[in-house]
Amino acid sequence: MLDSSLTRRSFFKIAAATAGATLVASEAASTLLESSNPAYADAADDVKVIHSTCRGCGKMECGNLVTVRNGRVVHIEGDHRAVASRGNLCVKGRAAVQALYHPDRIRYPLIRTTPKGQDPKWRRVSHDEAIKYMADGLNSVIEKYGQHAIKTLHGTGRITTYATEAYPTYLLQTANTGSPAGVICKGPRLSAAAMICFPGAHWCNLIDGQKVNFQWGTNQEVSNYDNSCRVTVDEHVKAETTICVGPRMQNLGKEADIWLDLRPGTDDAIALGLLHQCVFNSNCHPDMMFVKKWTNAPFLYCEDIEPSGWTWAGWGDPEGKQEMGSYPLNVRTRILKESDLVEGGDVRKMAYWDTKSNSLQFFDTKKCLWQGQTEYQYPDRDKDCVEYKGGILAKDPGFPVDIDPALEGSFEVELKDGRKVKAEPVWEMFKRHLKPWDENHTSEITGVAPEKIVAAAEAYCEEPGKGGIVFNLPLEHAGNSIQTSMLPLMLSALMNNIDSPGGQRGCENMFFTMDTFFQYHIPWANNTLDPVEQAKVVGGDRFPLTPWFQMVGGAALYHDPISAAEAILYDDPYPIRGMLSNSGQHFNSGNAWQNWQAFESLDFYGGWELWHSPTIELADVVLPAAHFLEVSVLRYTQGGEGAIGAQVQCVKRQGEASWDSADICGELSKEMGYEYWPTQNKPLPVWPDKWMKPWPTEKDMLDMSVLPMNPDLPFPISVPAPDGTQLHVKDWDDYVAQYQEHSQWNLKEISPFGYYYRFQWGHFRPRNAEDQNAPFVPGFNTPTGKFELLSTLLESYHGKNTKWQEAPGSYNGIPGYREPVESPFSAPELYKEYPIILTSGRRNPLYFHNEGRQQPWLRELTPCPSFQIHPDTAAELGIEQGDWCWIESKRGKIRECADLFYGIRPGTIECDHQWWYPELSAPKHGWDLSNVNVLVNMDHESQDPICGTCNCRAYLVKVYKATPENSPFGNPCPCDDDGTEIIHTATDPRLKEWLPTYEYEVV
Amino acid sequence: MTQYTIVTDLNRCVSCLNCMVACKEANDVPIGNFWIKILRVGPNPKFEGAEYPDVEMYYLPVSCQHCKNPSCVEVCPTGASHKTENGTIQVDKDKCIGCQFCVMACPYGVRYLNEEQGVVEKCTRCYQKTQEGELPACVVSCGGRARWFGDMDKGWDDFRGSLDANGEPLRLTDEDYIKPFTDADVHSLPDSGNHPSDRFILRNRVWR
Amino acid sequence: MEVQYPLVFFTLFLCLSSGMLLFQGVCALRGAGTKKFHTAMLAAELVVLAVGGFSSFLHLHHWERIFNGFGHLTSGITQELIGIVVTVVVLAVLFGVLRKAEDGERVLPKWCGILAVVVGVIMGFVCAHSYFMPARPAWANLTLYLYYYASELVLGAAGTWLLAAALHEDEAVGALLAKLTCVMGIVSALAILVAGFYWTTISFGDVGYSFHTTDPTASLPDPSAALAAPMAGSLAGLFWGGAVVVGSLVAVVAGFFGMKKAEQALPLSAAALVCSLMGGVCFRVVLYAVGVSFYVYF
């Protein structure tokens, strides 16, 4: 019966009919922007469908089709042609119109009139006055306390707001920059991966399919975290075997063939257990060619020598350079180097034992050449390569010279001082480190049945190339974020799934694919900070790699929020007195109460926001941010699907809202006396002056973002796809016009993303920007040029006898296990009083973290927060389904209602995160009632020792029923300060007051 | 005969809630009321005496089941609730007197009184779309591609789901998307004599 | 299910009205009752029916559309409306007969009595039948008919007795009606107990643990508890105190004493009627509470 799908004509009919009923209340004449973009629907009675990209969440690039009628968005649906999303559009994207036209949006600049901590009683001011107020406020803090006295507060980055994250570094020269949320989400994964292979390696490509779909601590099917729900389900169903790791049965996890139901916070232990199987179980077959050729496993390690090394990622040195710049690191390793053996030997040449010649040889880690190798080896396009799903898939041609590096054994070598010492390949140490983690030991720690550990490993490791491991932030939350994030990558690497089809392909942070365009709209010509200044980042004394992590890109641009709060509250190590925020909340990382008190005490705080969310109510000035449907920007998948597209402004901006990243930052810098894009710093000497504009317009920025695709460039910037294809566009408008026709482009077709295993092709290391003829260097962009099973950076900074804390459980730089700081085993006394293990952060499809609580279509579907508890545990505590309960840690207590969930470990609860209540009064809007960050740690011990991630999960609480006796106002339901209940049912009449308005109040 | 039916592959449903919001938009459903709701069934022990982690769960999207012998039509005094030629049950709002006996008679709680209009509403199976040859909003929008729409009297071949890259609806018979199932895997909601027409595919676990 | 008060009062007054018609028929069959009494009875039945009808209109949101195609025969509401029209016609016929009747003789012929009883019996069935819904297991069984008949009988007997007492009808008539009230009270109590007990035997399908995302504070559905609540649970007060003691046993006691103490007939019959009305409300409220859906999750 349904031979035709949605026809355009009938679609309009329906859209018009339903939209007329639902959304368009009155037909106020609406003119559109000055822009000439043909995609805008600007004529009266006009209906247009604009191909754009959703930004309903912070992550996924879902292509969307936005129907605009008479200048209003009336309908949004998924774009079935979009390669990365396959027509997926989640509830957040669908309900975006309810954010765009929400009656409570901030639409005008506001300045507070009351002391902080009270309802700010905002006063509307002009845009110029607000900019000046903000500029003066920031300048006065800088004058008094210096550049680092300003910090940023940012939530999950949106491409549209990237400049806001990076801006303070570029312009104010503060090291306390970026998104502190990054430290608890994705930043550690990027950082850890940058240390051992490449930042972004945790991202998998799913659209190419996987034999084993391995979901570890994910909830992608509802979070759409870099792989859309639809693609995730498609590929989960198609996979031969599915493995899910997590302490609770997840939405898609219900379908998993193997569920590793670990105790919260033991992801590192289960990873070590799986690696043990991979290495020791005879049914597991790791790719030993990859191990020998591409990892540092064959390098000889000697415990008897002093660590030595060199300064890596030096200033101006392309090697070690990261997406955003470089920061010099001192590599100090006990891997045996030529300089240890021979006087005047090269410290960059690392020793291995060649079994063919039975001799000690050296790998030049600077040039990435084996002994005897003079030219780089690339796979032969005819002999070694096949086309696979539109990409070039090469089988490894083997060693370029006739060697076979030993992985096993022990070798006696003579040092340059004449001492004879034993050295052994890193692989031997790696095996020794894994040896204790057999299935029984792993089971004792993780609680997962031994046979399931074996089954999962045997399924994944049966043969190389079964696909990557998708792993997300639970691995970052138990006080061992960096090491834990390294381990799944190592498992994936042993099985040759680094940059394989369906493997760890990364994307956003990669060289050469990134060159397809410029950094969105960020001032690309800027240098970053002087390393001496950058080292002053708060927490840098404890987390010495943080300044380098800040170079890695994306969410790794963070600073430690706990140290920052201490700097604000106690001037330790120096005062932070000013803050800039953009969609950041004090409860996104660190303890919410500590942050609230800190931010309340700031001398100056300015920000730009869509909403009167709690934190901004502490600000001195707030500017209205434009909604994503009101902003054009280049869009690019940060994750492994590899697609590029456009977000297209669909409607005129409301009130005085402006594109925060480009407009506000630009104007603010001008007012503060800085050039937004400093004209003295050209990225290349040949860079034309016409592209150097100190205060570019929005159009300039958009044109610049697609500049590398311009066919008329005087010199090439972007690198084409394997078949030579590049995307050619004249300017931004041309790009948008082509996007309307084409939808998302698959980067495989237009960039080196078209090669799999790019480490073979030299695309994983940067190239000398000055020399277009410089060869691509195969290998990884790490100190050893290898995928590092022994992280030389971990060894250098957090190894034995360094100035900083040794990575817990590690073995000479090989990552290890750390028991959560508050656990039944590590804190038995505390456990007596707080006998429940809390985990948190399960995804609700409706809300992106703290967002969406005021959109009726979302809020009515989950009006209030709940926590999941095993029915037996609930029964012991006298708790029944739906009961409001207190959840109390040493730090504080909150209320959520009980969801009796048989799919969670007894003795463990899972709490909804990031709740606040827009219906309650300023300034708090009820953030302290149910927000799980009230409970989290703020002590140093529980932080990750390497990057400072606070301990967001796997800590101890007690849970008891909320009763009239133990609840304020005698009401177990959370209430405002005057006793007003929160919205907790779908039928609450306050929800209807939040329906779209088209004639918003002009304050 | 025609019997428009929605089949949900519960092994593909992940409770993304897209159907709920897409439905609200497509049909102007008042805030606080729903034409489709998702029930989380479980997790429950897999078998008698089983404990965590031997549990199983599925999500059950429930809207009007467009019954073959609809109780709502039987109790309607004015004929406002009626069965149409395509097998769907519709409410003629001009005839509805708002007595709500159909609300009481429906075993699945999918009807409610629209307070503003004083008439009873429920899922129309996107009548305005299906009569144009389009698919219901809950089918096209389904994140997990779990929902499929077609004429049950014509068999599985007739069922279509979310769109492929070319904009053509996928077919329920495409094994890339719908894993094989047997008759024993096909279920319907409990029947109190109303004979619900919608079907649910659930493999490898107990239908409860 | 939420209590629908307009329907509670509709069925309450429908039962009272048709119960009185039924007992008027009984009187007529026995040749009892003066013209004044029978006339007043007809008037009372009409008024009570009108009050009930009005009450039901409060339930409708578009009663003006009632003429838009009303008459779908399978519908309980249609059947009730037909029944009400028939009742009104019968009342008119009886009134016509009465007008010609002389006091001191049999004021209503036997066929009138039969007619009244038949209509009364049918109305009890119709009233119950519109709530017979397979979707609600507590309603979809014989106890529903049993109860509505019991309600009709106790209300009808008490109402008829009250009118007889108020109009100082013959002591024999009063004693008969008191006795009927007493017996009907017992019938009512038994019917209620049978229904209450029967509900506890109904079993429901069970999906185990479940959760509605739209209603996180809802407790797990527990239909068995809801159906046991009247006998021994949160509804025990309404059930035992309201429906059984006040709604039925007061009528029994009043009727019992009324048989002997004719001089106390007015207060006793008034008490019987008021209490059985109250009990009728209580029981109907209980009916909604136990009217949980066959598929309890929605």
Side-chain angles (χ1 to χ4, degrees), chain A residues 941-955:
Chain A
E941 196 207 344
S942 60
Q943 286 184 280
D944 175 65
I946 296 150
C947 75
T949 311
C950 33
N951 184 190
C952 306
R953 307 185 192 213
Y955 54 84

Side-chain angles (χ1 to χ4, degrees), chain A residues 448-718:
Chain A
V448 180
E451 58 274 17
K452 291 213 288 191
I453 298 166
V454 173
E458 289 183 349
Y460 185 66
C461 305
E462 184 190 31
E463 62 182 15
K466 290 207 169 195
I469 300 173
V470 184
F471 63 101
N472 281 343
L473 77 174
L475 287 76
E476 297 170 334
H477 283 180
N480 196 27
S481 62
I482 294 286
Q483 295 196 87
T484 309
S485 300
M486 289 175 172
L487 292 164
L489 290 178
M490 293 185 177
L491 179 60
S492 182
L494 296 190
M495 300 315 302
N496 198 13
N497 293 314
I498 300 295
D499 207 35
S500 66
Q504 324 286 153
R505 297 216 72 196
C507 192
E508 181 188 55
N509 303 59
M510 296 307 297
F511 308 108
F512 310 117
T513 51
M514 198 68 171
D515 292 343
T516 307
F517 60 95
F518 279 125
Q519 282 255 37
Y520 312 108
H521 50 277
I522 295 177
W524 37 267
N526 280 303
N527 280 332
T528 46
L529 281 184
D530 179 325
V532 175
E533 290 303 320
Q534 202 175 353
K536 292 179 183 167
V537 62
V538 284
D541 52 339
R542 289 189 290 134
F543 311 116
L545 288 170
T546 296
W548 182 71
F549 293 154
Q550 291 185 330
M551 300 287 103
V552 162
L557 183 60
Y558 54 70
H559 60 269
D560 168 28
I562 293 178
S563 297
E566 289 166 358
I568 298 171
L569 290 169
Y570 316 120
D571 294 350
D572 175 24
Y574 52 77
I576 289 180
R577 302 301 324 148
M579 184 163 81
L580 262 181
S581 86
N582 175 202
S583 58
Q585 295 299 335
H586 66 282
F587 45 74
N588 71 17
S589 56
N591 180 278
W593 267 114
Q594 187 179 39
N595 287 339
W596 180 260
Q597 284 158 6
F599 299 166
E600 196 179 329
S601 75
L602 288 165
D603 291 359
F604 182 80
Y605 168 20
W608 31 97
E609 284 288 348
L610 281 166
W611 308 106
H612 285 287
S613 47
T615 315
I616 203 68
E617 305 286 34
L618 293 174
D620 295 282
V621 53
V622 54
L623 282 149
H627 186 265
F628 80 81
L629 289 162
E630 302 169 336
V631 174
S632 287
V633 75
L634 189 134
R635 295 287 298 271
Y636 185 68
T637 48
Q638 65 171 1
E641 306 294 27
I644 184 169
Q647 176 178 311
V648 182
Q649 182 174 0
C650 298
V651 287
K652 188 182 169 182
R653 290 175 193 158
Q654 293 167 30
E656 291 176 10
S658 44
W659 179 13
D660 40 7
S661 221
D663 297 339
I664 299 177
C665 289
E667 290 177 48
L668 189 58
S669 61
K670 196 169 189 176
E671 188 66 37
M672 289 179 76
Y674 300 100
E675 287 186 343
Y676 184 58
W677 286 4
T679 45
Q680 73 277 17
N681 291 327
K682 286 191 175 183
L684 287 172
V686 290
W687 204 257
D689 286 337
K690 67 169 181 177
W691 295 345
M692 305 299 297
K693 295 187 182 180
W695 293 292
T697 62
E698 253 186 75
K699 185 162 180 352
D700 289 334
M701 294 195 204
L702 292 171
D703 284 345
M704 205 69 80
S705 68
V706 295
L707 192 62
M709 306 176 201
N710 190 322
D712 303 326
L713 291 178
F715 51 88
I717 297 174
S718 66

Side-chain angles (χ1 to χ4, degrees), chain C residues 215-287:
Chain C
D215 202 0
T217 57
S219 47
L220 278 178
D222 189 355
S224 303
L227 267 67
M231 291 293 274
S234 57
L235 298 172
L238 273 180
F239 183 82
W240 291 106
V244 177
V245 176
V246 175
S248 310
L249 297 186
V250 169
V252 175
V253 172
F256 181 77
F257 288 110
M259 284 189 278
K260 290 161 190 165
K261 296 188 176 177
E263 67 281 9
Q264 295 295 325
L266 192 58
L268 284 172
S269 61
L273 180 62
V274 170
C275 287
S276 40
L277 280 169
M278 283 164 56
V281 172
C282 290
F283 190 82
R284 283 165 175 79
V285 169
V286 168
L287 267 180

Side-chain angles (χ1 to χ4, degrees), chain A residues 404-456:
Chain A
D404 185 13
L407 288 177
E408 290 173 353
S410 173
F411 305 92
E412 192 179 75
V413 292
E414 186 176 324
L415 301 175
K416 61 186 175 190
D417 61 9
R419 276 195 298 147
K420 287 196 171 162
V421 292
K422 290 267 186 200
E424 58 182 352
V426 165
W427 185 250
E428 285 282 10
M429 289 162 55
F430 190 66
K431 286 205 312 189
R432 188 175 305 125
H433 183 54
L434 295 174
K435 190 74 191 164
W437 291 93
D438 64 19
E439 60 271 30
N440 295 321
H441 176 64
T442 307
S443 175
E444 275 167 30
I445 300 222
T446 61
V448 180
E451 58 274 17
K452 291 213 288 191
I453 298 166
V454 173

Side-chain angles (χ1 to χ4, degrees), chain A residues 1-2 4-5 10 13 18 22 75 89-91 230 234 237 247 251 254-255 261 860-861 899 902 904 986, chain B residues 10-14 18 24-26 32 34 40 43 52 132-135 140 142-143 145 158 167 179 205:
Chain A
M1 33 118 260
L2 283 166
S4 70
S5 72
S10 59
K13 240 164 88 181
T18 59
T22 55
H75 173 72
L89 188 71
C90 81
V91 286
R230 186 166 280 175
D234 276 356
V237 168
N251 300 44
K254 69 187 166 65
E255 303 298 328
D261 53 304
E860 66 176 334
L861 296 195
D899 170 11
Y902 222 111
I904 190 166
Chain B
L10 297 182
N11 298 93
R12 288 192 71 109
C13 175
V14 292
N18 260 341
K24 300 215 77 147
E25 190 204 4
F34 306 96
R40 189 188 77 211
Y52 173 96
E132 296 277 331
E134 294 169 10
L135 293 163
V140 184
C142 180
R145 304 192 199 265
D158 194 56
K179 278 188 175 170
R205 77 202 61 161

